[in-house]
Amino acid sequence: STQSTWGRGGGGGRDYGGGRSGGGGGGRGRGIQYLDLANGVQIKPATQSNVTLPQNYQAPLTAYGRDSAGKSATGTFEKCGGKIQGNLGTPTPVVVNMCQLDLSKSQQRCLYRVDFSPEIEQKRSRNYLVHLAFEGRDEKHAYDGDHLVYTNKKIGGQDEFDFQGEVTLVGGEKQIVVLKFVFTSHQKAALDKQSLMFFCSRYRAGMYKQRDRVAIGRDYFDFSQAENIPEHRCQLVPGLDSTIYVTEAGPVLNVDVMFKHIRTDTVWDLIKQDLTNKIPQDTIAMTYSHITVMPTYADPKRSVIIDEVVFNMTPTKSTFLDKKTGKQISYADYVRNRYNIQNGDLGHPQPLLKSISRKERDADGNPKVSYFIPSLCHMTGQTDDMKKDTRRARDLIRRTALDPAQRLSRISASLGSIINNAQFKEETTPWQLNINNAFMEIPARRLPAPQLSNGRGPIQINDMRESWDIKFEWPMFKASAFDNWAVIAPNTQSHEVQEFITQIMKVSGDLNIPAQYPTFYDTNDTRARGYLDVLRGRVTQQRPTFVMVVIQRTSDEPYKSVKKFLSQTAGVPSQVVTLFNISKDPLLKATKVLVQMNCKAGGAPWNVDLKLGAPTMFVGLDIHHGGDLEHKGGSTAAYVASMDKDITKFYSRTFAVKAKEQIFVPAVANQGLKELTIEAIKSFKDLNKVAPKLIVVYRDGGSEGELEPIEKAEASQFEKAIRELNIDCKLVFFVISKKIRTRFFALDRPGGRAVANPPPGTIVDRCIINNSLPEFYLVCQSVNQGSATPTKYDKIYDTANLNADTLHMYTYGLAHTYFNWNGTIRTPSVTKYASTLAKFTGQTLGGGEVASALFRSLHYL
């Protein structure tokens, strides 16, 4: 079939009885459900840019003139190859949440640098002084809050201009400040970095001036539209995210809605509860370090990261120097006097929350330290326990997962209210910076689905979901034998355990998996120690090739201890299930669990025909930051490489990287990408009797501003490995971006007014792609709830020069081979495997690598 079908991504995480390998369903679907747009939503076909586009790569910019990682990056990628614009697939119209910007009509500007003598730290004072300098003058000006001032003409026709103003210092003392303006350049109405930065500065200033939305960090939220959810003690505040891209169609403004999750109970409420439960202060301090909170009294509102809970400081007894009075004042008295807050908890002996600024410095040049009162702070975001609450998650998704028509309508209404706001227009209109809120209709295609096969032959794929069922008489493409395996449980003779194993033996024939009854081992102690005693003793003597462990409930222990021993010490693949899971619909669970066990033991439920022209190794890379409570700050990199043409065998490795480092820089010398690539190529050659002729890397994560460092630090390591082995092998290196605000919506027809989520296989490789760096957007997954988000692929290194259609089909085909889900996922499977492995190693294994016997298995599914 040349038509792709609908599916859904997912899977991963702990085993606990089958993962998420079930969904999808076969048979006929309902078809694409198109929804009518609100009358106010405008859509226009994208037009060709009438300005000269930059030749060098320009990273997307937020309204703050920085990319998503806080950088402002440009670059050249000399070995990125040509554009990857293909022709394969069925043409289909889509609308994207982007609006074209016309900066060609903006006025020519003069750029001045302004210096303050003496230097003024407070931004408000600097703004006041610059305002005074232009008061009564006929030049229009725009100040970026730092050292840049834009004017519509030279100040008094001169290159230099001095002004003397007065500000009030701490304690009421007056200070004379001299401002020196020095002309630096003329800026023309052209599309370059300076014009983009200027637009960002005016957009940011306009957003700051308008009062309908409140700034929290770099984003703006409308608290008048906040939805309180009392049953979950939180509120959802809608906001707007804005990003500027330089594309083939010129500069575009990408706008999307977002939601801020804010708890309605205070941090002090939570700490009090912990203290009542006699939780030690050290544990409380660890729990609340690195959380993000929002002080209730801050104006403008902002969020801060808490670095430490300081129990030896209190709001009433701890003091600091009040800059206005020059006297010491307690934190409680300060908020009472400054913000007129009369909070009953201010007098309680609560600790203070310490925050160390990542940007601001004090007078001595040290990072600025601030303290906050817990009873006046609300946590933002969700804890791990909240995310595990399925009822809570369903309630929040129901409120935030907007369908395509709802999302476009809300974006349109929000953007329209901003660009028509009088205060916002004061910053953009004088410079003829015009923003329209018409979304772009752009060309797209739907790629054909690749051919999948199981042990019997080609798989019948659901033509509306890009998914398939593993059901009765569904032979595995590749089966592993379970003739020497063990089961450990608190009571192996219990009805639940025996019934579950009976069902596994029953479905093993339908799945064509050779299986003998396991050896059973009882543990009288359900704690980690009891399981480990059995594993170290009788199970080790048996030397099984696979171990199933039954625990009573989902919990960190004994799960972590069991996994560490079996993965790192014994080197045996394992499956952990809970009594609760296996007792519910044991036949269905047995099918899912046995399929997963088969994958972990080296088998595969299906394969994909990618029509590879030469021996090819696909590599997925990802980094997990954090680890568990005992390994805070640890970062683990994962490397997963395919080993065969069917994409059923994999080589999986991990290594430690520098804490919180986004680039693959190994924490230990000679244990990084080059070394693992050498080992992966050797493993590939050992299995196939030939080295790969092509390596295609999919690197997950990394912001647009980090593309050049990734090319230099990571792609180069693959080339070094190839040279060291002296093999003839080409390299293609993609950086994958999933956390983007770009969204596609399928139109019912060209110029239509009804939208739906795009079906899997929808690709966009024209119009909104970067004008200088080869990239494409691809939707692989089916989305039944909310709005689909594509994945962006930036090709930063290429020595293979394959045609675009081939690379597109490789990428799309790999999204069909994540064996924990019977359908397509968002990214190539090797990337998802790397993500799962990195998280498993960081959170469960404490960052340590598994025994070498498991390098060639998907033991972490």
Side-chain angles (χ1 to χ4, degrees):
S1 170
T2 58
Q3 282 194 331
S4 300
T5 51
W6 287 59
R8 182 182 177 192
R14 296 181 175 181
D15 14 34
Y16 286 149
R20 297 174 56 194
S21 60
R28 296 186 60 83
R30 295 178 301 168
I32 300 178
Q33 301 296 310
Y34 290 99
L35 302 169
D36 291 330
L37 290 169
N39 291 330
V41 179
Q42 300 180 49
I43 299 176
K44 292 182 180 179
T47 57
Q48 187 66 33
S49 174
N50 59 355
V51 296
T52 302
L53 299 175
Q55 296 303 304
N56 290 348
Y57 171 70
Q58 172 68 60
L61 298 172
T62 66
Y64 275 71
R66 299 290 186 270
D67 83 327
S68 56
K71 298 176 173 59
S72 176
T74 57
T76 56
F77 298 87
E78 297 178 355
K79 294 186 177 181
C80 65
K83 290 187 177 182
I84 36 181
Q85 296 178 336
N87 298 295
L88 184 65
T90 305
T92 180
V94 299
V95 59
V96 63
N97 59 334
M98 291 180 175
C99 305
Q100 287 188 271
L101 298 174
D102 183 6
L103 303 183
S104 62
K105 298 177 182 177
S106 62
Q107 288 188 343
Q108 181 172 299
R109 302 171 298 277
C110 297
L111 178 61
Y112 282 82
R113 175 182 173 87
V114 59
D115 289 293
F116 302 84
S117 180
E119 188 65 40
I120 301 297
E121 293 292 334
Q122 286 188 320
K123 184 177 180 179
R124 183 176 298 179
S125 297
R126 294 198 302 269
N127 280 323
Y128 171 70
L129 288 168
V130 172
H131 172 75
L132 284 181
F134 284 92
E135 195 170 38
R137 302 192 62 88
D138 63 348
E139 297 94 357
K140 290 186 298 186
H141 79 282
Y143 175 48
D144 75 342
D146 191 11
H147 287 282
L148 299 182
V149 175
Y150 303 90
T151 62
N152 63 325
K153 57 184 177 181
K154 284 190 175 183
I155 306 174
Q158 303 297 314
D159 288 345
E160 294 187 6
F161 170 69
D162 292 339
F163 174 79
Q164 184 173 289
E166 184 180 80
V167 292
T168 303
L169 300 179
V170 175
E173 180 184 352
K174 302 294 184 180
Q175 172 73 60
I176 300 298
V177 181
V178 176
L179 283 67
K180 188 173 187 64
F181 297 81
V182 178
F183 173 78
T184 61
S185 64
H186 279 292
Q187 293 193 337
K188 298 180 180 180
L191 180 57
D192 52 22
K193 182 179 179 181
Q194 288 75 23
S195 294
L196 291 171
M197 296 294 284
F198 178 72
F199 176 84
C200 289
S201 73
R202 294 306 87 213
Y203 187 92
R204 180 174 69 249
M207 290 295 289
Y208 183 80
K209 267 193 173 183
Q210 58 84 36
R211 307 314 299 172
D212 295 337
R213 287 166 178 77
V214 176
I216 302 179
R218 295 182 176 181
D219 300 306
Y220 288 82
F221 296 87
D222 187 353
F223 277 80
S224 68
Q225 299 297 316
E227 180 178 4
N228 287 310
I229 312 174
E231 62 269 32
H232 299 307
R233 294 179 295 179
C234 71
Q235 63 175 340
L236 293 172
V237 187
L240 206 62
D241 179 271
S242 305
T243 307
I244 298 168
Y245 288 86
V246 178
T247 70
E248 287 186 342
V252 297
L253 181 64
N254 181 197
V255 187
D256 194 21
V257 293
M258 60 193 304
F259 293 89
K260 175 72 75 174
H261 177 280
I262 302 175
R263 295 190 60 159
T264 52
D265 47 3
T266 67
V267 178
W268 176 231
D269 292 332
L270 302 173
I271 293 177
K272 274 195 301 186
Q273 184 177 348
D274 290 340
L275 293 172
T276 302
N277 294 333
K278 300 188 183 305
I279 295 178
Q281 289 186 0
D282 289 347
T283 303
I284 295 174
M286 182 181 295
T287 301
Y288 294 97
S289 63
H290 300 101
I291 65 169
T292 302
V293 304
M294 192 176 77
T296 58
Y297 52 85
D299 184 23
K301 292 183 182 295
R302 63 189 178 115
S303 57
V304 294
I305 299 175
I306 300 304
D307 295 282
E308 184 181 352
V309 181
V310 186
F311 279 95
N312 60 2
M313 295 179 68
T314 66
T316 55
K317 295 182 179 179
S318 301
T319 63
F320 67 98
L321 180 66
D322 187 344
K323 293 181 179 179
K324 282 193 173 182
T325 64
K327 298 178 180 179
Q328 292 290 320
I329 186 173
S330 71
Y331 289 89
D333 288 340
Y334 178 78
V335 296
R336 287 192 187 105
N337 299 339
R338 174 73 185 274
Y339 301 103
N340 193 29
I341 292 176
Q342 302 300 323
N343 186 306
D345 284 331
L346 284 178
H348 288 193
Q350 56 182 305
L352 292 181
L353 306 176
K354 180 180 179 181
S355 176
I356 303 173
S357 176
R358 275 67 176 167
K359 297 180 179 180
E360 295 183 77
R361 300 276 170 172
D362 60 20
D364 298 325
N366 300 316
K368 182 180 178 181
V369 177
S370 303
Y371 291 91
F372 299 90
I373 301 173
S375 62
L376 300 178
C377 292
H378 296 274
M379 286 177 58
T380 67
Q382 300 185 72
T383 64
D384 290 338
D385 289 339
M386 291 179 186
K387 294 175 182 178
K388 293 176 184 176
D389 186 337
T390 54
R391 179 173 171 270
R392 189 179 204 278
R394 282 196 303 267
D395 288 347
L396 295 184
I397 289 174
R398 180 167 52 85
R399 291 171 166 86
T400 59
L402 306 176
D403 66 44
Q406 290 173 330
R407 183 171 291 273
L408 270 179
S409 298
R410 181 172 288 195
I411 295 171
S412 177
S414 298
L415 182 59
S417 68
I418 288 173
I419 62 179
N420 292 316
N421 180 278
Q423 289 82 20
F424 182 88
K425 291 169 71 173
E426 286 178 3
E427 297 296 333
T428 57
T429 302
W431 303 94
Q432 294 182 294
L433 298 172
N434 300 315
I435 306 173
N436 70 71
N437 60 341
F439 298 116
M440 300 165 62
E441 180 181 334
I442 59 175
R445 306 186 315 280
R446 190 180 181 190
L447 298 175
Q451 180 61 64
L452 307 181
S453 301
N454 61 12
R456 181 182 292 123
I459 297 173
Q460 185 67 36
I461 298 179
N462 181 325
D463 194 45
M464 292 309 302
R465 293 183 57 85
E466 195 76 1
S467 61
W468 47 94
D469 268 342
I470 292 182
K471 47 190 177 184
F472 306 117
E473 298 182 0
W474 209 95
M476 298 287 97
F477 177 78
K478 191 176 297 180
S480 294
F482 290 84
D483 50 11
N484 177 29
W485 62 297
V487 174
I488 305 172
N491 180 7
T492 58
Q493 298 307 309
S494 68
H495 170 74
E496 292 86 357
V497 174
Q498 287 297 315
E499 175 64 17
F500 186 63
I501 298 302
T502 298
Q503 295 299 335
I504 281 185
M505 300 305 298
K506 181 179 179 180
V507 301
S508 65
D510 295 331
L511 300 177
N512 199 27
I513 297 176
Q516 302 294 325
Y517 266 90
T519 303
F520 293 96
Y521 297 96
D522 284 320
T523 175
N524 297 323
D525 188 349
T526 58
R527 294 173 297 179
R529 180 175 58 188
Y531 284 93
L532 291 177
D533 287 343
V534 175
L535 286 169
R536 293 189 181 110
R538 290 176 291 168
V539 177
T540 302
Q541 294 174 3
Q542 178 193 340
R543 294 188 177 181
T545 57
F546 197 93
V547 175
M548 176 184 288
V549 179
V550 183
I551 62 178
Q552 291 184 318
R553 66 185 64 86
T554 301
S555 62
D556 284 343
E557 291 296 350
Y559 178 82
K560 285 186 177 181
S561 296
V562 166
K563 279 294 189 179
K564 283 183 180 180
F565 178 83
L566 289 171
S567 301
Q568 295 179 325
T569 304
V572 177
S574 60
Q575 182 80 23
V576 178
V577 298
T578 66
L579 279 172
F580 177 78
N581 276 342
I582 64 175
S583 62
K584 293 173 59 179
D585 198 348
L587 179 60
L588 178 61
K589 289 291 184 184
T591 303
K592 295 179 181 181
V593 168
L594 187 55
V595 170
Q596 198 174 58
M597 290 168 57
N598 181 57
C599 295
K600 292 182 177 184
W606 64 82
N607 83 322
V608 62
D609 182 10
L610 294 182
K611 304 186 184 305
L612 299 176
T616 302
M617 185 172 81
F618 296 100
V619 178
L621 303 176
D622 198 8
I623 296 179
H624 172 73
H625 298 296
D628 54 22
L629 283 177
E630 290 77 31
H631 301 86
K632 284 283 187 182
S635 296
T636 303
Y639 182 114
V640 176
S642 66
M643 292 283 109
D644 65 335
K645 66 180 180 62
D646 296 313
I647 320 299
T648 61
K649 296 180 180 179
F650 301 90
Y651 180 80
S652 306
R653 297 290 301 274
T654 61
F655 63 94
V657 294
K658 294 182 179 179
K660 302 301 179 183
E661 179 64 60
Q662 284 297 111
I663 309 299
F664 279 69
V665 179
V668 180
N670 301 321
Q671 293 184 19
L673 287 178
K674 187 190 83 169
E675 290 73 23
L676 292 192
T677 301
I678 289 173
E679 294 301 317
I681 292 174
K682 289 179 178 178
S683 180
F684 187 99
K685 187 175 182 180
D686 181 54
L687 287 171
N688 300 282
K689 310 306 178 187
V690 62
K693 295 291 186 181
L694 172 67
I695 297 176
V696 182
V697 182
Y698 295 96
R699 200 271 200 201
D700 197 357
S703 72
E704 294 92 346
E706 292 170 326
L707 294 182
E708 200 165 24
I710 288 173
E711 180 208 16
K712 293 179 179 178
E714 298 178 17
S716 62
Q717 294 300 305
F718 283 85
E719 284 288 18
K720 288 179 180 179
I722 292 170
R723 288 196 299 269
E724 188 166 317
L725 291 174
N726 194 27
I727 60 174
D728 179 18
C729 182
K730 305 300 182 183
L731 175 67
V732 181
F733 197 109
F734 285 103
V735 175
I736 296 177
S737 300
K738 301 195 302 290
K739 296 179 180 179
I740 58 177
R741 291 291 180 179
T742 304
R743 294 181 187 268
F744 300 151
F745 307 93
L747 285 168
D748 58 337
R749 57 184 173 78
R753 296 286 305 170
V755 294
N757 276 318
T762 300
I763 187 169
V764 171
D765 55 9
R766 288 168 171 81
C767 194
I768 63 167
I769 65 169
N770 191 280
N771 71 290
S772 60
L773 183 65
E775 67 181 21
F776 63 90
Y777 294 85
L778 178 61
V779 177
C780 294
Q781 77 283 11
S782 171
V783 175
N784 298 326
Q785 188 174 30
S787 304
T789 302
T791 301
K792 183 157 74 87
Y793 297 83
D794 287 293
K795 182 164 66 81
I796 64 172
Y797 196 91
D798 182 5
T799 60
N801 295 318
L802 296 175
N803 70 65
D805 289 328
T806 298
L807 287 174
H808 293 163
M809 286 305 298
Y810 284 173
T811 304
Y812 185 42
L814 287 171
H816 292 70
T817 57
Y818 184 66
F819 298 140
N820 225 22
W821 182 254
N822 304 338
T824 52
I825 60 173
R826 277 194 70 182
T827 63
S829 59
V830 287
T831 307
K832 180 63 175 176
Y833 287 134
S835 176
T836 305
L837 174 59
K839 185 176 181 180
F840 171 75
T841 304
Q843 290 189 342
T844 302
L845 304 184
E849 192 167 35
V850 300
S852 59
L854 297 180
F855 287 170
R856 289 187 180 180
S857 74
L858 297 174
H859 62 90
Y860 43 88
L861 280 187

